[in-house]
Amino acid sequence: MSPLTLAMMTISLITGTTITLSSSHWLLAWIGLEINTLAIIPLMINQHHPRATEATTKYFLTQAAASTLLLFTTMMNAWTTGEWEIKEMQQLPSNMMTIALAMKLGLAPLHFWLPDVLQGLNLTTGLILSTWQKLAPMALIYIMYSSLNPYLMTTMAMISTMIGGWGGLNQTQLRKMMAYSSIAHLGWMMIIMISSPYLAMLNFTIYLIMTTAMFMMMKYMNSTKINQLSTSWTKTPMLATTSSLALLSLGGLPPTTGFIPKWLILNELTKQYTTTIATIMALLALLSLFFYLRLSYSLALTQSPHTTNSTTIWRHKLNYHTTLMTLSITLTLMLLPLTPNLV
């Protein structure tokens, strides 16, 4: 892809997200989502590989269906209320809008497209899909949180956390694991969105930091499978150590940053007298923690003098800027002491 085309697509991505974030009119928000979707498609299909073409087609069809449902819902709501305001939502259009935005985010049970699409992309485009593309739908859910159906949100959140944990157990591809990790984290965000939207957005922000750190580390180590991680200690021993700690942060173990949202969400659920839901969410988090520990084992516990699980990879000098990776890793590991300021 030429630099001019890449710049144009990047500017379109930023513009579409900015339009949605700054809009209070449903039609303008829909236009921003469409610009966002159309801008990332050339980036996804840039590899000219059959798997990339398949992933792009699946993504386009899913996002087109979600956008159609979103536009139909906004027209129904405008017909009923006479307004196009995002905050003015009736119960039935609100439920349909939740389903449309859940399909855009990859929230279970509308998650089937996300692992296959992420598997067909390179790590840079996968990072954009896992982080930037979730900003606009999450902002819309945050704006209309007062009209969301609590039963629907709780059901989808618990299903997402369960599927995100179970789906990643038997995977060997890192991109599919990150997809199921995204599904599980979305479940934690949605479970608390109605009662404490600020806490949900704090969880979303920390998720963006941790996911950015993981994709940057995978790109730097040039690893897309579990067995490729086992030789990372020969190339970058310090990065292998920090990567294993970042994976534990994704799992929510203290004293890493990932412990913040789970701790606060379980605390808030207990305050809302939903102790049963909090207990189930805590138990389902153990499923995700298991496959994070698998990755940590491949990174840190298969070191010399033990035999590795894969052939040795040649060490090439990489022209790769590590500023963003270093910053995201630092925040992923050491943000816990700033919790009072964040809350």
Side-chain angles (χ1 to χ4, degrees), residues 26 73 86-102 105 107 137-154 156-157 189-197 200-201:
W26 270 119
T73 305
I86 294 179
K87 293 184 178 180
E88 298 294 331
M89 293 289 291
Q90 297 293 323
Q91 189 62 48
L92 179 59
S94 175
N95 294 340
M96 297 175 63
M97 184 61 66
T98 304
I99 294 173
L101 294 175
L105 285 169
L107 188 69
M138 280 297 297
L140 293 177
I141 292 179
Y142 176 75
I143 293 173
M144 56 178 286
Y145 77 92
S146 58
S147 60
L148 294 174
N149 187 341
Y151 299 104
L152 178 61
M153 295 296 291
T154 303
M156 296 179 75
M189 297 172 209
M190 295 301 122
I191 197 71
I192 204 66
M193 179 62 76
I194 296 177
S195 58
S196 180
M201 297 313 291

Side-chain angles (χ1 to χ4, degrees), residues 217 220-221 229 231-246 299-300 303 315 325-326 329-330 333-334:
M217 288 185 286
Y220 187 84
M221 293 186 292
L229 292 177
T231 58
S232 59
W233 62 269
T234 60
K235 299 179 291 184
T236 52
M238 191 63 193
L239 186 59
T241 305
T242 54
S243 299
S244 61
L245 293 176
L299 276 166
Q303 296 181 357
R315 298 179 63 177
M325 182 177 68
T326 305
I329 291 174
T330 305
L333 298 181
M334 295 188 293

Side-chain angles (χ1 to χ4, degrees), residues 11 39 42 46 56 63 76 94 145 155 160 174 194 197 211 214 229 241 249 252 255 266 271 281 288 305 312:
I11 293 172
N46 186 39
T56 308
Q63 298 298 308
M76 178 191 297
S94 175
Y145 77 92
T155 303
S160 291
L174 297 181
I194 296 177
T211 304
M214 280 310 305
L229 292 177
T241 305
S249 179
L266 292 176
K271 287 181 180 179
M281 293 294 290
S288 300
T312 305

Side-chain angles (χ1 to χ4, degrees), residues 1 23 102 133 142 172 180 184 201 213 231 265-267 269 275 306 336:
M1 183 177 291
S23 62
Q133 290 298 96
Y142 176 75
T172 58
Y180 284 109
M201 297 313 291
T231 58
I265 287 173
L266 292 176
N267 183 38
L269 289 174
T275 311
H306 301 288
L336 184 62

Side-chain angles (χ1 to χ4, degrees), residues 2 5 21-22 24 40 42 66 69 85 156 194 216 219-220 233 255-256 277-278 280 283 313 322 325 334 340 342-343:
S2 66
T5 307
L21 293 179
S22 59
S24 60
I40 198 175
L69 181 59
E85 290 290 326
M156 296 179 75
I194 296 177
M216 286 291 180
K219 183 178 179 182
Y220 187 84
W233 62 269
T256 55
I277 295 177
I280 295 174
L283 292 175
I313 302 174
T322 59
M325 182 177 68
M334 295 188 293
L342 295 174
V343 176

Side-chain angles (χ1 to χ4, degrees), residues 188-308:
W188 282 89
M189 297 172 209
M190 295 301 122
I191 197 71
I192 204 66
M193 179 62 76
I194 296 177
S195 58
S196 180
Y198 299 105
L199 191 53
M201 297 313 291
L202 172 65
N203 191 357
F204 182 58
T205 304
I206 293 175
Y207 160 77
L208 294 181
I209 295 172
M210 294 189 297
T211 304
T212 302
M214 280 310 305
F215 271 98
M216 286 291 180
M217 288 185 286
M218 287 191 297
K219 183 178 179 182
Y220 187 84
M221 293 186 292
N222 195 21
S223 300
T224 56
K225 300 177 183 178
I226 292 182
N227 59 0
Q228 292 176 345
L229 292 177
S230 60
T231 58
S232 59
W233 62 269
T234 60
K235 299 179 291 184
T236 52
M238 191 63 193
L239 186 59
T241 305
T242 54
S243 299
S244 61
L245 293 176
L247 285 165
L248 297 180
S249 179
L250 273 170
L253 286 183
T256 55
T257 306
F259 179 63
I260 300 175
K262 289 183 171 59
W263 174 31
L264 295 177
I265 287 173
L266 292 176
N267 183 38
E268 184 67 27
L269 289 174
T270 307
K271 287 181 180 179
Q272 299 293 331
Y273 301 103
T274 55
T275 311
T276 304
I277 295 177
T279 305
I280 295 174
M281 293 294 290
L283 292 175
L284 291 176
L286 298 177
L287 295 173
S288 300
L289 180 61
F290 180 78
F291 67 80
Y292 293 135
L293 286 173
R294 282 181 63 204
L295 294 178
S296 298
Y297 174 80
S298 299
L299 276 166
L301 300 180
T302 55
Q303 296 181 357
S304 179
H306 301 288
T307 56
T308 59

Side-chain angles (χ1 to χ4, degrees), residues 8-39 70 84 86 132-133 135-140 143:
M8 185 182 301
M9 294 300 107
T10 306
I11 293 172
S12 299
L13 268 176
I14 298 173
T15 304
T17 305
T18 306
I19 289 174
T20 304
L21 293 179
S22 59
S23 62
S24 60
H25 192 284
W26 270 119
L27 191 59
L28 196 61
W30 174 79
I31 291 173
L33 290 172
E34 286 300 295
I35 295 174
N36 212 3
T37 301
L38 294 176
L70 190 148
W84 288 85
I86 294 179
W132 185 267
Q133 290 298 96
L135 288 175
M138 280 297 297
L140 293 177
I143 293 173

